[in-house]
Amino acid sequence: MAEITLRKARTIVKAALAKGREAGMKPLAVIVLDSGGHVKAFEREDGASPGRFDIANGKAYGSIMLGIGGFAQRERAEGQAYFMAAMNGLYGGKVVPVPGGVLVKDSRGNVIGAVGVTGDTSENDAAAAAAGIEAAGYVAET
């Protein structure tokens, strides 16, 4: 199965941050995880709060571990709070079930990683993540 290369991960980060600046978003933090939930790349813009690594990681990690994007996670959390609480317990409290966690798929639809963006509204975070993923030639599932 294909994996996200370091070069592609850096492209995702760069393009996501560029989307944020272009759209006038607050300072962002962007993380790229591989299909096993391991960090491939991370950057936090000047002015982004120091806790942003954990938030970005939690958004992306939840996407990888549950196989769904942040919008679906939020919907699940609202409709099945006990299930999402159990999943968060199962994964050591690492899941942040809100938009901004986006699955990365290859051209065949295989999940090869996830991106987490934080710093602005959850919807804007998801848009920045999707822009980064698409700039790297992959398909985003928000």
Side-chain angles (χ1 to χ4, degrees):
M1 180 158 113
E3 287 288 336
I4 299 174
T5 64
L6 180 58
R7 182 178 62 79
K8 291 278 192 165
R10 288 177 173 159
T11 296
I12 292 168
V13 170
K14 181 178 176 181
L17 294 175
K19 172 69 173 179
R21 285 190 300 274
E22 171 190 303
M25 294 179 197
K26 295 176 184 173
L28 301 177
V30 181
I31 196 165
V32 180
L33 304 182
D34 66 16
S35 62
H38 306 286
V39 178
K40 290 293 286 192
F42 172 77
E43 285 192 27
R44 181 177 60 88
E45 287 186 301
D46 295 341
S49 64
R52 294 293 173 182
F53 174 86
D54 292 323
I55 298 168
N57 190 52
K59 288 181 175 188
Y61 191 78
S63 292
I64 281 291
M65 293 300 127
L66 298 173
I68 57 176
F71 283 99
Q73 288 179 63
R74 179 174 66 187
E75 186 176 313
R76 197 90 188 258
E78 290 170 350
Q80 296 178 312
Y82 291 119
F83 173 80
M84 286 305 291
M87 292 303 97
N88 212 351
L90 184 66
Y91 294 118
K94 295 180 186 178
V95 176
V96 178
V98 297
V102 180
L103 288 173
V104 181
K105 294 185 172 186
D106 65 16
S107 61
R108 295 181 178 171
N110 298 310
V111 174
I112 59 170
V115 174
V117 176
T118 183
D120 206 272
T121 66
S122 292
E123 289 73 13
N124 285 343
D125 293 345
I133 292 165
E134 291 163 6
Y138 296 125
V139 176
E141 182 181 310
T142 59

